[in-house]
Amino acid sequence: MSAGTALRRGRTPWLAGLAVALLVAGVLSWYASASPDGLEWAAGQAGFLDTAEDSAAAGSPLADYQVGGADSRLSGGLAGVAGVAVTLLLAGGLAWALRRRGRDAATPAD
Amino acid sequence: MHVPDGFLDAPTSAATAAVAAAGVALALRGARRELDERTAPLAGLSAAFVFAVQMVNFPVGAGTSGHLMGGVLAAVLVGPWTAALCLTVVLVVQALLFADGGLTAIGTNVTLLGLVAIGVGWGAFRLLAAVLPTTRGGVLAAAGVGAFLSVPVAALAFTGLFALGGVADVALGTVAAAMGGVHALIGLGEAAITVVVLGAVLAVRPDLVHGARALRRATLLAGRPPSVPAGAR
């Protein structure tokens, strides 16, 4: 039980969760299937795939999950890590802001 | 299932943007009831995790792939309103920075992956959790079924939007069959990932899991000490 107890304590589970997210986006993503996804496949079957248009964001330095257009393992991993960081900051910041206002507006914290 | 620009006409895209905006406004109110000092960090981590896992397409049969949508996983972890905000952040980051999903389709994608998938999946989770035993297995089974259902339902919701405002003139039955069929398969992957991740979190910090509050009460009533560690904030 001692190892399990250590895993539950303090910051450890948070750091473990973040490490898993970074590993998935930074390393495991390289092994993702390159086949068309369900929507693309269905659009091809039904005959409307050619109505898709390039996104206006297609020129973004992170477009298609690559850094600066380079198509490599490192570039894809860096793009994934950047995405995890941006998402964590935005969603975490939003949740933190809502948490504060919710507590201030309602009854005292439990 | 990220809808690109061009599939749906401008009025339909504008309508889904209005629906998404209304849903997000409601979620901003609802999330205040779900988020406290302990769970706010989990919301950020859940969104980051969903972003990461969405990068990993898994193969489903001949020449097709799918990836986690993550709405039901996030909803069981942090609550449905907060989950809708998490998915909205993920989809906006993907569309703006990674050109994944169209810019005019952001409202469509938030509506489908955020509102529809979470609404249906969370509803199914709550219904099942009410009738299944109040155990870790019961929570995981309910989450798995909710996660599975959320994927083909979102795919059929896209088909409904396509019926209203699809640019191409193709047979709707073909679209519905192809979308529903392949996304039923992808839903199995959604359920598997949801159950594995949720099982891991429940094993380590069950006290943080929004959808396991009944489980916690049952544990307390049974006279066992709560599993909140002394050092946790």
Side-chain angles (χ1 to χ4, degrees), chain A residues 8 14 21 33 35-38 41 46 48 51 53 60 62 64-65 91 99 101, chain B residues 5-7 32 36 42 47 52 57 63-65 97-98 100 168 170 203-204 229:
Chain A
R8 291 180 178 89
W14 298 104
S33 166
S35 297
D37 76 2
W41 178 84
F48 65 92
T51 62
E53 295 165 9
S60 157
L62 291 170
D64 296 325
Y65 299 91
R99 183 261 346 169
R101 256 181 281 169
Chain B
D5 290 324
F7 277 3
R32 290 180 191 174
D36 62 26
L42 186 62
N57 280 56
T64 313
S65 72
L97 295 184
F98 296 90
D100 186 12
V170 298
V204 177

PDB file of all heavy atoms in Angstrom, chain A residues 8 14 21 33 35-38 41 46 48 51 53 60 62 64-65 91 99 101, chain B residues 5-7 32 36 42 47 52 57 63-65 97-98 100 168 170 203-204 229:
ATOM      1  N   ARG A   8      -0.831   8.905  -4.215  1.00  0.00           N
ATOM      2  CA  ARG A   8      -2.037   9.698  -3.982  1.00  0.00           C
ATOM      3  C   ARG A   8      -1.718  11.042  -3.337  1.00  0.00           C
ATOM      4  O   ARG A   8      -2.569  11.882  -3.186  1.00  0.00           O
ATOM      5  CB  ARG A   8      -2.993   8.932  -3.056  1.00  0.00           C
ATOM      6  CG  ARG A   8      -3.609   7.719  -3.700  1.00  0.00           C
ATOM      7  CD  ARG A   8      -4.532   7.025  -2.719  1.00  0.00           C
ATOM      8  NE  ARG A   8      -5.171   5.871  -3.329  1.00  0.00           N
ATOM      9  CZ  ARG A   8      -4.645   4.657  -3.319  1.00  0.00           C
ATOM     10  NH1 ARG A   8      -3.495   4.428  -2.738  1.00  0.00           N
ATOM     11  NH2 ARG A   8      -5.261   3.651  -3.896  1.00  0.00           N
ATOM     12  N   TRP A  14      -0.886  14.960  -9.935  1.00  0.00           N
ATOM     13  CA  TRP A  14      -0.999  16.038 -10.932  1.00  0.00           C
ATOM     14  C   TRP A  14       0.173  15.991 -11.906  1.00  0.00           C
ATOM     15  O   TRP A  14      -0.011  16.116 -13.118  1.00  0.00           O
ATOM     16  CB  TRP A  14      -1.030  17.401 -10.230  1.00  0.00           C
ATOM     17  CG  TRP A  14      -2.200  17.543  -9.321  1.00  0.00           C
ATOM     18  CD1 TRP A  14      -2.189  17.458  -7.950  1.00  0.00           C
ATOM     19  CD2 TRP A  14      -3.561  17.748  -9.693  1.00  0.00           C
ATOM     20  NE1 TRP A  14      -3.458  17.607  -7.463  1.00  0.00           N
ATOM     21  CE2 TRP A  14      -4.323  17.799  -8.500  1.00  0.00           C
ATOM     22  CE3 TRP A  14      -4.207  17.912 -10.914  1.00  0.00           C
ATOM     23  CZ2 TRP A  14      -5.700  17.992  -8.492  1.00  0.00           C
ATOM     24  CZ3 TRP A  14      -5.580  18.117 -10.913  1.00  0.00           C
ATOM     25  CH2 TRP A  14      -6.309  18.151  -9.717  1.00  0.00           C
ATOM     26  N   ALA A  21       0.025  13.305 -20.394  1.00  0.00           N
ATOM     27  CA  ALA A  21      -0.484  14.133 -21.500  1.00  0.00           C
ATOM     28  C   ALA A  21       0.660  14.559 -22.421  1.00  0.00           C
ATOM     29  O   ALA A  21       0.538  14.499 -23.656  1.00  0.00           O
ATOM     30  CB  ALA A  21      -1.215  15.358 -20.953  1.00  0.00           C
ATOM     31  N   SER A  33      -2.492   6.562 -36.429  1.00  0.00           N
ATOM     32  CA  SER A  33      -2.875   6.106 -37.768  1.00  0.00           C
ATOM     33  C   SER A  33      -3.012   7.302 -38.696  1.00  0.00           C
ATOM     34  O   SER A  33      -3.589   8.321 -38.328  1.00  0.00           O
ATOM     35  CB  SER A  33      -4.203   5.354 -37.700  1.00  0.00           C
ATOM     36  OG  SER A  33      -4.721   5.194 -39.008  1.00  0.00           O
ATOM     37  N   SER A  35      -4.524   7.035 -41.599  1.00  0.00           N
ATOM     38  CA  SER A  35      -5.707   6.816 -42.443  1.00  0.00           C
ATOM     39  C   SER A  35      -6.705   7.949 -42.242  1.00  0.00           C
ATOM     40  O   SER A  35      -6.714   8.590 -41.197  1.00  0.00           O
ATOM     41  CB  SER A  35      -6.375   5.495 -42.070  1.00  0.00           C
ATOM     42  OG  SER A  35      -5.514   4.413 -42.321  1.00  0.00           O
ATOM     43  N   PRO A  36      -7.558   8.191 -43.249  1.00  0.00           N
ATOM     44  CA  PRO A  36      -8.595   9.220 -43.073  1.00  0.00           C
ATOM     45  C   PRO A  36      -9.469   8.902 -41.872  1.00  0.00           C
ATOM     46  O   PRO A  36      -9.705   7.731 -41.576  1.00  0.00           O
ATOM     47  CB  PRO A  36      -9.406   9.155 -44.375  1.00  0.00           C
ATOM     48  CG  PRO A  36      -9.005   7.893 -45.046  1.00  0.00           C
ATOM     49  CD  PRO A  36      -7.635   7.557 -44.566  1.00  0.00           C
ATOM     50  N   ASP A  37      -9.922   9.941 -41.170  1.00  0.00           N
ATOM     51  CA  ASP A  37     -10.757   9.676 -39.996  1.00  0.00           C
ATOM     52  C   ASP A  37     -12.190   9.368 -40.434  1.00  0.00           C
ATOM     53  O   ASP A  37     -12.507   9.371 -41.629  1.00  0.00           O
ATOM     54  CB  ASP A  37     -10.665  10.813 -38.981  1.00  0.00           C
ATOM     55  CG  ASP A  37     -11.463  12.046 -39.385  1.00  0.00           C
ATOM     56  OD1 ASP A  37     -12.131  12.025 -40.435  1.00  0.00           O
ATOM     57  OD2 ASP A  37     -11.415  13.038 -38.634  1.00  0.00           O
ATOM     58  N   GLY A  38     -13.039   9.050 -39.476  1.00  0.00           N
ATOM     59  CA  GLY A  38     -14.385   8.589 -39.785  1.00  0.00           C
ATOM     60  C   GLY A  38     -15.155   9.548 -40.676  1.00  0.00           C
ATOM     61  O   GLY A  38     -15.823   9.130 -41.632  1.00  0.00           O
ATOM     62  N   TRP A  41     -13.670   9.609 -44.205  1.00  0.00           N
ATOM     63  CA  TRP A  41     -14.022   8.365 -44.888  1.00  0.00           C
ATOM     64  C   TRP A  41     -15.473   8.403 -45.339  1.00  0.00           C
ATOM     65  O   TRP A  41     -15.793   8.083 -46.494  1.00  0.00           O
ATOM     66  CB  TRP A  41     -13.759   7.173 -43.955  1.00  0.00           C
ATOM     67  CG  TRP A  41     -14.142   5.867 -44.567  1.00  0.00           C
ATOM     68  CD1 TRP A  41     -13.381   5.098 -45.405  1.00  0.00           C
ATOM     69  CD2 TRP A  41     -15.392   5.176 -44.407  1.00  0.00           C
ATOM     70  NE1 TRP A  41     -14.084   3.978 -45.776  1.00  0.00           N
ATOM     71  CE2 TRP A  41     -15.314   3.999 -45.182  1.00  0.00           C
ATOM     72  CE3 TRP A  41     -16.554   5.444 -43.691  1.00  0.00           C
ATOM     73  CZ2 TRP A  41     -16.370   3.079 -45.250  1.00  0.00           C
ATOM     74  CZ3 TRP A  41     -17.607   4.539 -43.762  1.00  0.00           C
ATOM     75  CH2 TRP A  41     -17.513   3.378 -44.537  1.00  0.00           C
ATOM     76  N   ALA A  46     -19.780   8.959 -49.386  1.00  0.00           N
ATOM     77  CA  ALA A  46     -21.022   9.597 -49.808  1.00  0.00           C
ATOM     78  C   ALA A  46     -20.780  10.579 -50.960  1.00  0.00           C
ATOM     79  O   ALA A  46     -21.725  11.017 -51.603  1.00  0.00           O
ATOM     80  CB  ALA A  46     -21.671  10.323 -48.626  1.00  0.00           C
ATOM     81  N   PHE A  48     -18.921  13.692 -50.896  1.00  0.00           N
ATOM     82  CA  PHE A  48     -18.846  15.151 -50.710  1.00  0.00           C
ATOM     83  C   PHE A  48     -17.514  15.604 -50.112  1.00  0.00           C
ATOM     84  O   PHE A  48     -17.376  16.745 -49.678  1.00  0.00           O
ATOM     85  CB  PHE A  48     -20.030  15.673 -49.874  1.00  0.00           C
ATOM     86  CG  PHE A  48     -20.097  15.195 -48.441  1.00  0.00           C
ATOM     87  CD1 PHE A  48     -19.510  15.926 -47.422  1.00  0.00           C
ATOM     88  CD2 PHE A  48     -20.753  14.014 -48.114  1.00  0.00           C
ATOM     89  CE1 PHE A  48     -19.578  15.500 -46.107  1.00  0.00           C
ATOM     90  CE2 PHE A  48     -20.834  13.583 -46.798  1.00  0.00           C
ATOM     91  CZ  PHE A  48     -20.241  14.328 -45.786  1.00  0.00           C
ATOM     92  N   THR A  51     -15.889  18.897 -51.242  1.00  0.00           N
ATOM     93  CA  THR A  51     -16.408  20.216 -50.882  1.00  0.00           C
ATOM     94  C   THR A  51     -15.659  20.814 -49.695  1.00  0.00           C
ATOM     95  O   THR A  51     -15.914  21.949 -49.315  1.00  0.00           O
ATOM     96  CB  THR A  51     -17.921  20.157 -50.542  1.00  0.00           C
ATOM     97  OG1 THR A  51     -18.129  19.305 -49.414  1.00  0.00           O
ATOM     98  CG2 THR A  51     -18.724  19.623 -51.719  1.00  0.00           C
ATOM     99  N   GLU A  53     -12.881  22.746 -47.712  1.00  0.00           N
ATOM    100  CA  GLU A  53     -11.990  23.840 -48.099  1.00  0.00           C
ATOM    101  C   GLU A  53     -10.856  23.939 -47.093  1.00  0.00           C
ATOM    102  O   GLU A  53     -11.020  23.573 -45.928  1.00  0.00           O
ATOM    103  CB  GLU A  53     -12.769  25.168 -48.113  1.00  0.00           C
ATOM    104  CG  GLU A  53     -13.850  25.208 -49.179  1.00  0.00           C
ATOM    105  CD  GLU A  53     -14.838  26.342 -48.956  1.00  0.00           C
ATOM    106  OE1 GLU A  53     -14.565  27.187 -48.066  1.00  0.00           O
ATOM    107  OE2 GLU A  53     -15.859  26.371 -49.650  1.00  0.00           O
ATOM    108  N   SER A  60      -0.861  28.734 -40.389  1.00  0.00           N
ATOM    109  CA  SER A  60      -0.352  28.836 -39.015  1.00  0.00           C
ATOM    110  C   SER A  60       0.958  28.072 -38.871  1.00  0.00           C
ATOM    111  O   SER A  60       1.147  27.030 -39.489  1.00  0.00           O
ATOM    112  CB  SER A  60      -1.389  28.250 -38.038  1.00  0.00           C
ATOM    113  OG  SER A  60      -0.776  27.858 -36.836  1.00  0.00           O
ATOM    114  N   LEU A  62       1.799  26.211 -36.690  1.00  0.00           N
ATOM    115  CA  LEU A  62       1.561  24.889 -36.098  1.00  0.00           C
ATOM    116  C   LEU A  62       0.566  24.073 -36.929  1.00  0.00           C
ATOM    117  O   LEU A  62       0.092  23.025 -36.473  1.00  0.00           O
ATOM    118  CB  LEU A  62       1.028  25.033 -34.666  1.00  0.00           C
ATOM    119  CG  LEU A  62       2.018  25.565 -33.617  1.00  0.00           C
ATOM    120  CD1 LEU A  62       1.306  25.896 -32.320  1.00  0.00           C
ATOM    121  CD2 LEU A  62       3.125  24.544 -33.371  1.00  0.00           C
ATOM    122  N   ASP A  64      -1.450  21.545 -39.110  1.00  0.00           N
ATOM    123  CA  ASP A  64      -1.319  20.091 -39.283  1.00  0.00           C
ATOM    124  C   ASP A  64      -0.382  19.462 -38.251  1.00  0.00           C
ATOM    125  O   ASP A  64       0.279  18.457 -38.527  1.00  0.00           O
ATOM    126  CB  ASP A  64      -0.857  19.744 -40.700  1.00  0.00           C
ATOM    127  CG  ASP A  64      -1.890  20.161 -41.733  1.00  0.00           C
ATOM    128  OD1 ASP A  64      -3.093  20.062 -41.414  1.00  0.00           O
ATOM    129  OD2 ASP A  64      -1.497  20.605 -42.830  1.00  0.00           O
ATOM    130  N   TYR A  65      -0.314  20.053 -37.080  1.00  0.00           N
ATOM    131  CA  TYR A  65       0.450  19.482 -35.960  1.00  0.00           C
ATOM    132  C   TYR A  65       1.929  19.297 -36.300  1.00  0.00           C
ATOM    133  O   TYR A  65       2.560  18.313 -35.952  1.00  0.00           O
ATOM    134  CB  TYR A  65      -0.170  18.146 -35.507  1.00  0.00           C
ATOM    135  CG  TYR A  65      -1.591  18.306 -35.015  1.00  0.00           C
ATOM    136  CD1 TYR A  65      -2.661  18.175 -35.887  1.00  0.00           C
ATOM    137  CD2 TYR A  65      -1.853  18.620 -33.694  1.00  0.00           C
ATOM    138  CE1 TYR A  65      -3.967  18.352 -35.447  1.00  0.00           C
ATOM    139  CE2 TYR A  65      -3.150  18.794 -33.241  1.00  0.00           C
ATOM    140  CZ  TYR A  65      -4.204  18.664 -34.128  1.00  0.00           C
ATOM    141  OH  TYR A  65      -5.488  18.835 -33.692  1.00  0.00           O
ATOM    142  N   ALA A  91      -7.599  26.434 -20.506  1.00  0.00           N
ATOM    143  CA  ALA A  91      -8.699  25.765 -19.799  1.00  0.00           C
ATOM    144  C   ALA A  91      -8.498  25.862 -18.285  1.00  0.00           C
ATOM    145  O   ALA A  91      -9.451  26.102 -17.532  1.00  0.00           O
ATOM    146  CB  ALA A  91      -8.791  24.300 -20.237  1.00  0.00           C
ATOM    147  N   ARG A  99     -13.949  29.392 -10.782  1.00  0.00           N
ATOM    148  CA  ARG A  99     -13.956  28.902  -9.402  1.00  0.00           C
ATOM    149  C   ARG A  99     -13.965  30.071  -8.413  1.00  0.00           C
ATOM    150  O   ARG A  99     -14.742  30.098  -7.457  1.00  0.00           O
ATOM    151  CB  ARG A  99     -12.700  28.034  -9.214  1.00  0.00           C
ATOM    152  CG  ARG A  99     -12.538  27.379  -7.896  1.00  0.00           C
ATOM    153  CD  ARG A  99     -11.624  28.020  -6.901  1.00  0.00           C
ATOM    154  NE  ARG A  99     -10.708  29.043  -7.313  1.00  0.00           N
ATOM    155  CZ  ARG A  99     -10.034  29.777  -6.463  1.00  0.00           C
ATOM    156  NH1 ARG A  99     -10.169  29.589  -5.178  1.00  0.00           N
ATOM    157  NH2 ARG A  99      -9.214  30.711  -6.872  1.00  0.00           N
ATOM    158  N   ARG A 101     -14.998  33.274  -8.884  1.00  0.00           N
ATOM    159  CA  ARG A 101     -16.237  34.029  -8.908  1.00  0.00           C
ATOM    160  C   ARG A 101     -17.374  33.219  -8.291  1.00  0.00           C
ATOM    161  O   ARG A 101     -18.200  33.757  -7.589  1.00  0.00           O
ATOM    162  CB  ARG A 101     -16.592  34.421 -10.344  1.00  0.00           C
ATOM    163  CG  ARG A 101     -16.304  35.870 -10.645  1.00  0.00           C
ATOM    164  CD  ARG A 101     -16.690  36.201 -12.071  1.00  0.00           C
ATOM    165  NE  ARG A 101     -15.667  35.746 -12.995  1.00  0.00           N
ATOM    166  CZ  ARG A 101     -15.836  35.711 -14.298  1.00  0.00           C
ATOM    167  NH1 ARG A 101     -17.002  36.054 -14.829  1.00  0.00           N
ATOM    168  NH2 ARG A 101     -14.870  35.327 -15.089  1.00  0.00           N
TER     169      ARG A 101
ATOM    170  N   ASP B   5     -14.035  23.506 -43.047  1.00  0.00           N
ATOM    171  CA  ASP B   5     -14.801  24.514 -43.769  1.00  0.00           C
ATOM    172  C   ASP B   5     -15.324  23.905 -45.065  1.00  0.00           C
ATOM    173  O   ASP B   5     -14.685  23.035 -45.660  1.00  0.00           O
ATOM    174  CB  ASP B   5     -13.894  25.719 -44.106  1.00  0.00           C
ATOM    175  CG  ASP B   5     -13.521  26.528 -42.870  1.00  0.00           C
ATOM    176  OD1 ASP B   5     -14.371  26.647 -41.974  1.00  0.00           O
ATOM    177  OD2 ASP B   5     -12.386  27.007 -42.807  1.00  0.00           O
ATOM    178  N   GLY B   6     -16.486  24.349 -45.494  1.00  0.00           N
ATOM    179  CA  GLY B   6     -16.971  23.975 -46.815  1.00  0.00           C
ATOM    180  C   GLY B   6     -18.059  22.916 -46.843  1.00  0.00           C
ATOM    181  O   GLY B   6     -18.851  22.899 -47.786  1.00  0.00           O
ATOM    182  N   PHE B   7     -18.096  22.013 -45.861  1.00  0.00           N
ATOM    183  CA  PHE B   7     -19.113  20.958 -45.877  1.00  0.00           C
ATOM    184  C   PHE B   7     -20.524  21.528 -45.712  1.00  0.00           C
ATOM    185  O   PHE B   7     -21.464  21.065 -46.336  1.00  0.00           O
ATOM    186  CB  PHE B   7     -18.860  19.944 -44.754  1.00  0.00           C
ATOM    187  CG  PHE B   7     -17.837  18.881 -45.088  1.00  0.00           C
ATOM    188  CD1 PHE B   7     -17.161  18.886 -46.295  1.00  0.00           C
ATOM    189  CD2 PHE B   7     -17.557  17.861 -44.182  1.00  0.00           C
ATOM    190  CE1 PHE B   7     -16.216  17.911 -46.599  1.00  0.00           C
ATOM    191  CE2 PHE B   7     -16.628  16.883 -44.473  1.00  0.00           C
ATOM    192  CZ  PHE B   7     -15.952  16.908 -45.687  1.00  0.00           C
ATOM    193  N   ARG B  32     -19.610  27.110 -12.729  1.00  0.00           N
ATOM    194  CA  ARG B  32     -19.291  27.723 -11.425  1.00  0.00           C
ATOM    195  C   ARG B  32     -19.743  26.841 -10.279  1.00  0.00           C
ATOM    196  O   ARG B  32     -19.162  26.870  -9.195  1.00  0.00           O
ATOM    197  CB  ARG B  32     -19.972  29.077 -11.313  1.00  0.00           C
ATOM    198  CG  ARG B  32     -19.349  30.081 -12.252  1.00  0.00           C
ATOM    199  CD  ARG B  32     -20.029  31.416 -12.146  1.00  0.00           C
ATOM    200  NE  ARG B  32     -19.562  32.249 -13.246  1.00  0.00           N
ATOM    201  CZ  ARG B  32     -20.036  33.445 -13.522  1.00  0.00           C
ATOM    202  NH1 ARG B  32     -20.988  33.952 -12.778  1.00  0.00           N
ATOM    203  NH2 ARG B  32     -19.559  34.123 -14.519  1.00  0.00           N
ATOM    204  N   ASP B  36     -14.473  23.883  -7.822  1.00  0.00           N
ATOM    205  CA  ASP B  36     -13.984  24.435  -6.568  1.00  0.00           C
ATOM    206  C   ASP B  36     -12.455  24.401  -6.594  1.00  0.00           C
ATOM    207  O   ASP B  36     -11.849  24.077  -7.617  1.00  0.00           O
ATOM    208  CB  ASP B  36     -14.575  23.693  -5.357  1.00  0.00           C
ATOM    209  CG  ASP B  36     -14.189  22.223  -5.332  1.00  0.00           C
ATOM    210  OD1 ASP B  36     -13.132  21.873  -5.902  1.00  0.00           O
ATOM    211  OD2 ASP B  36     -14.932  21.423  -4.752  1.00  0.00           O
ATOM    212  N   LEU B  42      -8.016  20.121 -12.145  1.00  0.00           N
ATOM    213  CA  LEU B  42      -8.354  18.918 -12.911  1.00  0.00           C
ATOM    214  C   LEU B  42      -9.024  19.286 -14.234  1.00  0.00           C
ATOM    215  O   LEU B  42      -8.874  18.574 -15.231  1.00  0.00           O
ATOM    216  CB  LEU B  42      -9.266  17.998 -12.084  1.00  0.00           C
ATOM    217  CG  LEU B  42      -9.582  16.643 -12.717  1.00  0.00           C
ATOM    218  CD1 LEU B  42      -8.312  15.825 -12.923  1.00  0.00           C
ATOM    219  CD2 LEU B  42     -10.582  15.858 -11.874  1.00  0.00           C
ATOM    220  N   ALA B  47      -8.629  19.019 -20.057  1.00  0.00           N
ATOM    221  CA  ALA B  47      -8.624  19.604 -21.397  1.00  0.00           C
ATOM    222  C   ALA B  47      -7.307  19.288 -22.103  1.00  0.00           C
ATOM    223  O   ALA B  47      -7.291  18.891 -23.276  1.00  0.00           O
ATOM    224  CB  ALA B  47      -8.833  21.115 -21.313  1.00  0.00           C
ATOM    225  N   ALA B  52      -4.287  16.022 -26.109  1.00  0.00           N
ATOM    226  CA  ALA B  52      -3.191  15.085 -26.409  1.00  0.00           C
ATOM    227  C   ALA B  52      -3.734  13.801 -27.041  1.00  0.00           C
ATOM    228  O   ALA B  52      -3.241  13.349 -28.082  1.00  0.00           O
ATOM    229  CB  ALA B  52      -2.419  14.770 -25.125  1.00  0.00           C
ATOM    230  N   ASN B  57      -4.794   9.090 -33.553  1.00  0.00           N
ATOM    231  CA  ASN B  57      -5.818   8.340 -34.283  1.00  0.00           C
ATOM    232  C   ASN B  57      -5.520   6.849 -34.197  1.00  0.00           C
ATOM    233  O   ASN B  57      -4.377   6.428 -34.381  1.00  0.00           O
ATOM    234  CB  ASN B  57      -5.824   8.776 -35.753  1.00  0.00           C
ATOM    235  CG  ASN B  57      -6.581  10.065 -35.956  1.00  0.00           C
ATOM    236  OD1 ASN B  57      -6.267  11.071 -35.336  1.00  0.00           O
ATOM    237  ND2 ASN B  57      -7.581  10.027 -36.816  1.00  0.00           N
ATOM    238  N   GLY B  63      -8.686   1.023 -43.802  1.00  0.00           N
ATOM    239  CA  GLY B  63      -8.292   2.337 -44.295  1.00  0.00           C
ATOM    240  C   GLY B  63      -8.974   3.500 -43.602  1.00  0.00           C
ATOM    241  O   GLY B  63      -9.063   4.582 -44.165  1.00  0.00           O
ATOM    242  N   THR B  64      -9.444   3.293 -42.385  1.00  0.00           N
ATOM    243  CA  THR B  64     -10.130   4.366 -41.673  1.00  0.00           C
ATOM    244  C   THR B  64      -9.565   4.465 -40.263  1.00  0.00           C
ATOM    245  O   THR B  64      -9.059   3.487 -39.731  1.00  0.00           O
ATOM    246  CB  THR B  64     -11.646   4.082 -41.592  1.00  0.00           C
ATOM    247  OG1 THR B  64     -12.100   3.688 -42.857  1.00  0.00           O
ATOM    248  CG2 THR B  64     -12.409   5.291 -41.145  1.00  0.00           C
ATOM    249  N   SER B  65      -9.663   5.642 -39.682  1.00  0.00           N
ATOM    250  CA  SER B  65      -9.183   5.806 -38.309  1.00  0.00           C
ATOM    251  C   SER B  65     -10.164   6.684 -37.547  1.00  0.00           C
ATOM    252  O   SER B  65     -11.074   7.278 -38.122  1.00  0.00           O
ATOM    253  CB  SER B  65      -7.788   6.441 -38.293  1.00  0.00           C
ATOM    254  OG  SER B  65      -7.869   7.804 -38.662  1.00  0.00           O
ATOM    255  N   LEU B  97      -4.804  27.281 -34.065  1.00  0.00           N
ATOM    256  CA  LEU B  97      -3.353  27.069 -34.117  1.00  0.00           C
ATOM    257  C   LEU B  97      -2.964  25.918 -35.033  1.00  0.00           C
ATOM    258  O   LEU B  97      -1.903  25.947 -35.658  1.00  0.00           O
ATOM    259  CB  LEU B  97      -2.809  26.793 -32.712  1.00  0.00           C
ATOM    260  CG  LEU B  97      -2.905  27.933 -31.696  1.00  0.00           C
ATOM    261  CD1 LEU B  97      -2.237  27.528 -30.392  1.00  0.00           C
ATOM    262  CD2 LEU B  97      -2.260  29.198 -32.239  1.00  0.00           C
ATOM    263  N   PHE B  98      -3.793  24.863 -35.087  1.00  0.00           N
ATOM    264  CA  PHE B  98      -3.375  23.642 -35.773  1.00  0.00           C
ATOM    265  C   PHE B  98      -4.130  23.405 -37.085  1.00  0.00           C
ATOM    266  O   PHE B  98      -3.913  22.382 -37.743  1.00  0.00           O
ATOM    267  CB  PHE B  98      -3.537  22.446 -34.831  1.00  0.00           C
ATOM    268  CG  PHE B  98      -2.640  22.537 -33.627  1.00  0.00           C
ATOM    269  CD1 PHE B  98      -3.059  23.165 -32.465  1.00  0.00           C
ATOM    270  CD2 PHE B  98      -1.352  22.022 -33.663  1.00  0.00           C
ATOM    271  CE1 PHE B  98      -2.225  23.281 -31.365  1.00  0.00           C
ATOM    272  CE2 PHE B  98      -0.514  22.129 -32.566  1.00  0.00           C
ATOM    273  CZ  PHE B  98      -0.945  22.761 -31.413  1.00  0.00           C
ATOM    274  N   ASP B 100      -6.971  22.363 -37.571  1.00  0.00           N
ATOM    275  CA  ASP B 100      -7.703  21.099 -37.481  1.00  0.00           C
ATOM    276  C   ASP B 100      -9.159  21.443 -37.179  1.00  0.00           C
ATOM    277  O   ASP B 100      -9.484  21.887 -36.088  1.00  0.00           O
ATOM    278  CB  ASP B 100      -7.093  20.232 -36.363  1.00  0.00           C
ATOM    279  CG  ASP B 100      -7.708  18.848 -36.326  1.00  0.00           C
ATOM    280  OD1 ASP B 100      -8.415  18.480 -37.285  1.00  0.00           O
ATOM    281  OD2 ASP B 100      -7.461  18.122 -35.356  1.00  0.00           O
ATOM    282  N   ALA B 168     -23.007  19.767 -50.741  1.00  0.00           N
ATOM    283  CA  ALA B 168     -23.084  18.783 -51.825  1.00  0.00           C
ATOM    284  C   ALA B 168     -24.479  18.172 -51.892  1.00  0.00           C
ATOM    285  O   ALA B 168     -25.173  18.060 -50.886  1.00  0.00           O
ATOM    286  CB  ALA B 168     -22.048  17.683 -51.596  1.00  0.00           C
ATOM    287  N   VAL B 170     -25.939  15.010 -52.231  1.00  0.00           N
ATOM    288  CA  VAL B 170     -25.737  13.559 -52.201  1.00  0.00           C
ATOM    289  C   VAL B 170     -26.860  12.934 -51.373  1.00  0.00           C
ATOM    290  O   VAL B 170     -27.544  13.615 -50.612  1.00  0.00           O
ATOM    291  CB  VAL B 170     -24.354  13.179 -51.622  1.00  0.00           C
ATOM    292  CG1 VAL B 170     -23.243  13.744 -52.476  1.00  0.00           C
ATOM    293  CG2 VAL B 170     -24.217  13.664 -50.195  1.00  0.00           C
ATOM    294  N   ALA B 203      -8.620   5.026  -9.266  1.00  0.00           N
ATOM    295  CA  ALA B 203      -7.732   4.249  -8.407  1.00  0.00           C
ATOM    296  C   ALA B 203      -6.838   5.158  -7.573  1.00  0.00           C
ATOM    297  O   ALA B 203      -6.432   4.797  -6.474  1.00  0.00           O
ATOM    298  CB  ALA B 203      -6.879   3.308  -9.265  1.00  0.00           C
ATOM    299  N   VAL B 204      -6.521   6.350  -8.105  1.00  0.00           N
ATOM    300  CA  VAL B 204      -5.557   7.222  -7.436  1.00  0.00           C
ATOM    301  C   VAL B 204      -6.249   8.327  -6.634  1.00  0.00           C
ATOM    302  O   VAL B 204      -5.950   8.548  -5.463  1.00  0.00           O
ATOM    303  CB  VAL B 204      -4.596   7.845  -8.478  1.00  0.00           C
ATOM    304  CG1 VAL B 204      -3.633   8.801  -7.807  1.00  0.00           C
ATOM    305  CG2 VAL B 204      -3.821   6.747  -9.181  1.00  0.00           C
ATOM    306  N   PRO B 229      -6.112  12.361   0.904  1.00  0.00           N
ATOM    307  CA  PRO B 229      -4.875  12.341   1.684  1.00  0.00           C
ATOM    308  C   PRO B 229      -4.718  13.624   2.499  1.00  0.00           C
ATOM    309  O   PRO B 229      -5.204  14.679   2.112  1.00  0.00           O
ATOM    310  CB  PRO B 229      -3.794  12.233   0.618  1.00  0.00           C
ATOM    311  CG  PRO B 229      -4.418  12.724  -0.626  1.00  0.00           C
ATOM    312  CD  PRO B 229      -5.894  12.468  -0.530  1.00  0.00           C
TER     313      PRO B 229
END
